[in-house]
Amino acid sequence: MHRSTLIRALLVTTSSVLVAGAVAYPSAGAAPGAPQVERLDRGLISVHTGTGNFLSWRLSVGDAPGTAFNVYRDGTKVTSSPITRTNFQDRGASATSTYAIRPVVNGVEQPGTASAERSLGMSARSEAGLGVTAATRDVPLQVPAGGSTPSGSFTYEANDGSVGDLDGDGQYEIVLKWQPTNAKDNSQSGYTGNTILDAYELDGTRLWRIDLGRNIRSGAHYTQFQVFDYDGDGRAEVAVKTADGTRSGTGQVIGNASADYRNSSGYVLSGPEFLTVFRGSDGAILDTENYVPARGNVSDWGDNYGNRADRFLAATAYVDGSRPSIIMARGYYTRAVVVAWDFRNGQLTRRWTYDSGGGGAYGQGNHNLSVADVDADGRDEIVYGSATIDDNGALMYSTGLGHGDALHVGDLAPSRPGLEVFTVHEWTSSPAMDVHDARTGQFLYRAPSCGCDTGRGVAADVWAGSPGAEIWSSSVAGLRSAANGNQVASRKPGSQNFVIWWDGDAQRELLDGTQISKYGTGGDTVLLTGSGVVSNNGTKSTPVLQADILGDWREEVIWRTGDNRALRIYSTTDPTSISRPSLMQDRQYRLAVAWQNTAYNQPPHASFATP
């Protein structure tokens, strides 16, 4: 069994870890050919284990080839020679030790710049039945007060999250969606409480709270929020659909504060709709424009009571290849409209609008989407399920297989050029699942129709016994090759949910509920069971967030505690000999972290292939 240690001390702060200065990346306002990227520090973490301190830090795409590192403890170098990996076990060291890492290029140590010191508390725990000493970092939360509606009272639960550098300090902050306990699926009538967005530093300092108000209904399909630096000033903004009565982090109110457009069934089918960009540092309104597309006639979206009219998706994409644009979308069961917005110099402007009308992507959208440069031209496309929208807002292709619940995009079949798309399908007449070329839509594999709604499916390299990614779903037997659909193992993983890079090898592990497991042909091996935490979104059993936010290229997972009073961040302390840049510097992966909170959450995938 792989020995994994969770961390309660995760970041770098006042008395625990010394961080080398921010890494030099292309400037925020980079010209075409040098895409705008985040300016992150090294993300150095120190975790006290039974044998000393485990250190882990970021490698950057901006680092010179062959960059190595010296490690300093309390000002004294503890590495006998520079190391090329991005993790280090300092045996016998004290939990109070402070650290710095300094890059070495061509044998010459580079000076640290703008060094900063941070500390986070640590608490060891033993994971039941696993023999693993765990340490986790808790981010304290301020739970909103509950309330009441005409149909009853409600409280709040921490729900989906995202990250961005909101204040420009080179470190990620967390943006968290609070969902009322009476949140509804669009198909369900009833009043809901307000949806609330909070921003937190990793020490629990709350930066702001945005209340979306009673004219934004609460549920998985209503509020898709994007956290990203859109204007290139080095600080992330938050983009989200708003309405009359939305209150910003600084107390500004959008529109008419007393307006109430809820009907007797709790739906909001009238009144103005807006897209608002909020400043990440304090939650102030930067710009608000009318939401596109407007709902118009509710029946134009496939029913007359508001289920399909309010199915929203959101993402971020470099559609011009240089700077990020906000992607907002409405509809997927029938009519589908996808809109690209730019936020520059304090102003939202619409770049393009794709409207399916009655053809093209009509009925081809998923409960989720993905963003990837599928034609390798440096500009991102929107993979909308069974249809893909080109970077210029034109339809690239539609497979015609219809709506589905799960979607994975990546270099799933490294034996062939380009990226692939894996989807499962709800329509009972469609193949249960398929793999197709991400650029052309050409099918590599189509499973026979199961005559059922295939609700779950995954594509990822979880087994070293076959090249590239494997695919599996809830309705198709066996573990199969993404390249051709051939069965490579009779036993498929016990989980059909998220996947995560957790231990030290190149394959991904299974993440389901509050458990991480290793796939095996004879059975899955549990590596971690989170203690005192719960998953989100009912049977979807998803985390608050999964992303590479700290340390080396392996991923962290964030769950909420059972009482909703904290977010608990887990990270592996398994050593690894694999050295690669932070996943957050792979554009496709970083954009996937941005859209991960959208509707039926899906795990992030990188643009590169694993063996």
Side-chain angles (χ1 to χ4, degrees):
M1 184 175 81
H2 292 258
R3 184 177 183 276
S4 298
T5 305
L6 315 181
I7 76 183
R8 171 150 193 141
L10 279 188
L11 230 171
V12 205
T13 59
T14 41
S15 68
S16 179
V17 180
L18 181 65
V19 182
V23 182
Y25 302 129
S27 63
Q36 175 185 315
V37 295
E38 292 174 303
R39 294 175 175 269
L40 300 175
D41 66 17
R42 288 287 178 189
L44 176 65
I45 61 175
S46 174
V47 184
H48 190 61
T49 69
T51 57
N53 294 327
F54 176 83
L55 308 179
S56 178
W57 60 91
R58 291 187 183 106
L59 181 68
S60 165
V61 294
D63 288 328
T67 294
F69 298 91
N70 285 330
V71 177
Y72 288 79
R73 181 211 314 135
D74 301 326
T76 300
K77 187 165 67 173
V78 294
T79 44
S80 58
S81 60
I83 59 175
T84 56
R85 63 187 184 277
T86 51
N87 55 88
F88 177 72
Q89 182 70 51
D90 189 15
R91 299 190 180 278
S94 166
T96 61
S97 296
T98 62
Y99 290 89
I101 57 106
R102 296 176 188 166
V104 178
V105 179
N106 296 325
V108 179
E109 183 177 278
Q110 306 300 298
T113 57
S115 295
E117 217 179 297
R118 300 174 288 171
S119 74
L120 297 180
M122 298 177 65
S123 176
R125 76 178 72 219
S126 184
E127 295 298 313
L130 299 180
V132 174
T133 299
T136 61
R137 169 64 188 175
D138 277 9
V139 180
L141 301 176
Q142 298 177 35
V143 184
S148 61
T149 69
S151 57
S153 61
F154 61 89
T155 57
Y156 277 96
E157 294 177 341
N159 191 249
D160 295 336
S162 193
V163 292
D165 182 1
L166 302 179
D167 53 12
D169 64 354
Q171 307 161 23
Y172 284 125
E173 285 77 42
I174 297 173
V175 177
L176 175 69
K177 179 172 76 172
W178 289 98
Q179 193 157 274
T181 50
N182 61 359
K184 303 293 183 185
D185 183 84
N186 298 48
S187 62
Q188 302 169 344
S189 63
Y191 291 88
T192 72
N194 298 0
T195 296
I196 290 172
L197 298 177
D198 277 356
Y200 292 93
E201 301 275 5
L202 293 194
D203 64 0
T205 300
R206 195 182 80 187
L207 300 178
W208 46 257
R209 170 165 288 171
I210 295 170
D211 186 337
L212 294 182
R214 61 190 169 195
N215 294 309
I216 295 290
R217 200 166 186 249
S218 293
H221 303 289
Y222 292 102
T223 293
Q224 329 298 340
F225 61 98
Q226 291 297 287
V227 182
F228 219 84
D229 178 11
Y230 293 105
D231 60 2
D233 67 353
R235 294 167 296 189
E237 292 79 41
V238 178
V240 67
K241 183 176 181 286
T242 57
D244 278 358
T246 294
R247 186 177 296 272
S248 78
T250 55
Q252 304 156 288
V253 177
I254 294 174
N256 181 359
S258 61
D260 186 350
Y261 297 107
R262 298 173 295 177
N263 66 22
S264 59
S265 296
Y267 288 97
V268 180
L269 303 181
S270 62
E273 302 174 283
F274 307 112
L275 173 63
T276 299
V277 175
F278 296 91
R279 187 162 51 216
S281 58
D282 61 3
I285 295 169
L286 295 176
D287 191 28
T288 295
E289 302 293 336
N290 289 328
Y291 191 86
V292 179
R295 66 173 69 86
N297 294 318
V298 171
S299 59
D300 289 346
W301 301 91
D303 59 55
N304 61 7
Y305 68 100
N307 177 4
R308 296 182 175 186
D310 279 0
R311 299 281 179 160
F312 299 101
L313 300 174
T316 297
Y318 288 71
V319 295
D320 70 353
S322 178
R323 302 181 70 179
S325 296
I326 302 164
I327 305 298
M328 288 285 160
R330 185 179 214 144
Y332 40 76
Y333 284 117
T334 53
R335 180 186 175 198
V337 181
V338 183
V339 183
W341 295 83
D342 292 339
F343 180 69
R344 311 281 188 263
N345 302 315
Q347 180 71 41
L348 273 167
T349 57
R350 188 153 42 113
R351 176 179 284 266
W352 52 252
T353 300
Y354 169 80
D355 191 333
S356 70
Y362 184 92
Q364 303 301 306
N366 266 30
H367 284 299
N368 34 62
L369 47 64
S370 187
V371 174
D373 178 10
V374 304
D375 54 5
D377 65 353
R379 300 184 295 270
D380 293 327
E381 282 71 44
I382 315 303
V383 183
Y384 205 64
S386 293
T388 293
I389 312 303
D390 206 347
D391 54 70
N392 61 1
L395 179 73
M396 181 173 273
Y397 64 83
S398 169
T399 68
L401 297 185
H403 168 73
D405 290 358
L407 170 68
H408 301 263
V409 181
D411 192 355
L412 307 178
S415 59
R416 63 183 306 277
L419 305 178
E420 292 77 35
V421 179
F422 168 80
T423 57
V424 299
H425 302 287
E426 187 170 307
W427 292 0
T428 58
S429 58
S430 292
M433 61 186 192
D434 84 279
V435 180
H436 59 267
D437 184 286
R439 182 180 65 85
T440 66
Q442 177 185 358
F443 291 111
L444 279 66
Y445 167 70
R446 283 175 287 182
S449 170
C450 61
C452 63
D453 173 358
T454 302
R456 297 290 183 92
V458 185
D461 181 12
V462 296
W463 185 43
S466 68
E470 293 78 44
I471 57 174
W472 67 101
S473 74
S474 56
S475 65
V476 178
L479 185 69
R480 297 175 179 272
S481 166
N484 51 31
N486 291 342
Q487 183 169 298
V488 296
S490 60
R491 182 188 174 277
K492 61 186 176 184
S495 164
Q496 294 149 3
N497 201 355
F498 275 41
V499 287
I500 184 171
W501 275 294
W502 182 258
D503 63 12
D505 64 25
Q507 280 66 49
R508 298 186 91 172
E509 283 65 57
L510 310 170
L511 170 57
D512 188 20
T514 59
Q515 194 168 85
I516 295 174
S517 302
K518 187 78 172 174
Y519 170 76
T521 56
D524 298 336
T525 301
V526 176
L527 305 181
L528 163 71
T529 300
S531 176
V533 294
V534 293
S535 59
N536 282 341
N537 300 314
T539 59
K540 298 295 182 288
S541 300
T542 53
V544 170
L545 184 71
Q546 173 198 329
D548 173 21
I549 61 173
L550 299 166
D552 64 26
W553 59 272
R554 271 87 58 83
E555 298 172 280
E556 281 69 45
V557 58
I558 305 176
W559 289 296
R560 61 184 171 102
T561 57
D563 59 6
N564 291 291
R565 296 190 177 277
L567 299 179
R568 187 162 292 159
I569 306 175
Y570 287 79
S571 182
T572 183
T573 58
D574 278 350
T576 180
S577 59
I578 298 173
S579 182
R580 61 168 57 125
S582 165
L583 294 176
M584 294 295 257
Q585 295 212 290
D586 180 272
R587 190 167 88 191
Q588 182 176 324
Y589 180 93
R590 179 63 185 93
L591 297 176
V593 171
W595 58 246
Q596 187 181 141
N597 69 78
T598 294
Y600 286 0
N601 306 5
Q602 296 286 276
H605 291 282
S607 63
F608 56 82
T610 52

